Amino acid sequence: MYAPERQQEILRLARDGGRVDVVSLAEEFQVTAETIRRDLKALDRAGLLRRVHGGAIPAGRLDFEPDLAERETTAADEKDRIAKAALAELPEEGTMILDAGTTVARLAGALPLEASLTVVTHSLPIAARLADHPGVQLHLIGGRVRHRTRAAVDAWALRAYGEIRADVVFLAANGFSAEHGLTTPDLAEAAVKRAALAAARRVVLLADSAKHGQEHFARFGGLDEVDLLITDSGLSPEDATAIERGGTEVVRA
């Protein structure tokens, strides 16, 4: 099968099923995962598909949001490297906000036992990871819990973040770019992320390189509001340099 034929079939599968993933497509067409990624990139450039973690969705589905279990297993090695690099940014005996996100959750799981920190989070999975940490004073932000992300949202969460000031926030995003800023599929989730961003003196974005250039329905900030982006080596040096020109430091773990 020639590439244009395969890409046409990939497009059909995406439109029929709502999304496609790299692993399944590679098995379906008996080609390498890298070949499928090139196909998806070509379809994305043509405006026919939009690339997301591990696959693609039909163009126009800016509200698509994979569930928590799927995100946990996507780009796992990259997320572990990002979390390890983020340990260097912990405020010594300070206060930090941990946003809801699987990469940020990995940072929570990697906190050294000797760390002495005050941690604020609206993420139930992150709170569960830190509940027994001997050096963490944990503050759990309340509100309506979204089932897809296990994160608290709406008025209670917004009010709580409006009453605090932290040394640093470790932020998550579904997409980031200089052009479109920081985006996520859900408006309620975006509002809480915006409040968390505003509640900290320093903003550190933890995002794997597959999220670069992605755009989702709800915007919650500009990339120029981020002091430091920690990502993986999949972000090209050229893209990293372009981001740094906007005032955001970049670490490629």
Side-chain angles (χ1 to χ4, degrees), residues 10-25 40 49-58 61 64-67 70-71 74 148:
I10 290 172
L11 182 59
R12 184 190 66 78
L13 291 170
R15 287 172 173 169
D16 288 348
R19 72 161 292 155
V20 288
D21 68 88
V22 171
V23 173
S24 297
L25 290 175
L40 297 182
L49 289 182
R50 185 172 297 278
R51 295 175 71 190
V52 296
H53 296 305
I57 59 174
R61 291 280 314 275
F64 176 80
E65 186 176 17
D67 62 27
E70 180 178 347
R71 293 202 308 275
T74 301
R148 188 163 287 275

Side-chain angles (χ1 to χ4, degrees), residues 9-248:
E9 183 63 13
I10 290 172
L11 182 59
R12 184 190 66 78
L13 291 170
R15 287 172 173 169
D16 288 348
R19 72 161 292 155
V20 288
D21 68 88
V22 171
V23 173
S24 297
L25 290 175
E27 293 177 354
E28 172 84 15
F29 296 108
Q30 293 296 294
V31 295
T32 66
E34 186 57 38
T35 296
I36 295 298
R37 291 190 186 97
R38 285 196 295 268
D39 288 336
L40 297 182
K41 187 174 183 179
L43 290 166
D44 183 276
R45 284 176 173 172
L48 299 171
L49 289 182
R50 185 172 297 278
R51 295 175 71 190
V52 296
H53 296 305
I57 59 174
R61 291 280 314 275
L62 295 183
D63 61 342
F64 176 80
E65 186 176 17
D67 62 27
L68 193 60
E70 180 178 347
R71 293 202 308 275
E72 282 281 3
T73 58
T74 301
D77 291 341
E78 290 85 350
K79 290 176 180 179
D80 285 338
R81 295 201 305 272
I82 292 167
K84 184 177 180 181
L87 291 172
E89 303 302 318
L90 297 179
E92 187 174 352
E93 297 186 352
T95 303
M96 65 181 187
I97 297 169
L98 295 183
D99 187 17
T102 54
T103 308
V104 180
R106 279 174 158 77
L107 170 61
L111 292 184
L113 289 177
E114 63 273 16
S116 179
L117 295 161
T118 297
V119 177
V120 182
T121 187
H122 58 284
S123 164
L124 293 185
I126 289 176
R129 292 191 184 198
L130 294 178
D132 294 325
H133 192 293
V136 167
Q137 292 187 21
L138 179 64
H139 297 261
L140 177 60
I141 299 290
R144 175 177 65 86
V145 176
R146 291 192 68 228
H147 294 299
R148 188 163 287 275
T149 60
R150 308 296 193 271
V153 296
D154 294 343
W156 287 356
L158 296 175
R159 185 164 58 249
Y161 274 127
E163 295 175 352
I164 67 169
R165 190 69 174 158
D167 294 306
V168 60
V169 56
F170 290 95
L171 202 62
N174 295 74
F176 69 93
S177 69
E179 181 180 4
H180 302 296
L182 312 173
T183 59
T184 194
D186 184 77
L187 284 170
E189 197 112 24
V192 177
K193 288 176 179 293
R194 191 179 301 114
L197 186 157
R201 284 188 286 269
R202 178 169 168 80
V203 179
V204 179
L205 175 63
L206 307 185
D208 63 81
S209 60
K211 296 178 180 177
H212 180 242
Q214 295 297 320
E215 179 188 4
H216 293 268
F217 179 61
R219 187 180 189 273
F220 61 91
L223 196 53
D224 58 350
E225 297 178 77
V226 174
D227 297 293
L228 172 64
L229 163 65
I230 304 180
T231 186
D232 59 81
S233 56
L235 183 73
S236 71
E238 294 78 15
D239 286 334
T241 299
I243 291 171
E244 288 187 322
R245 288 196 197 102
T248 300

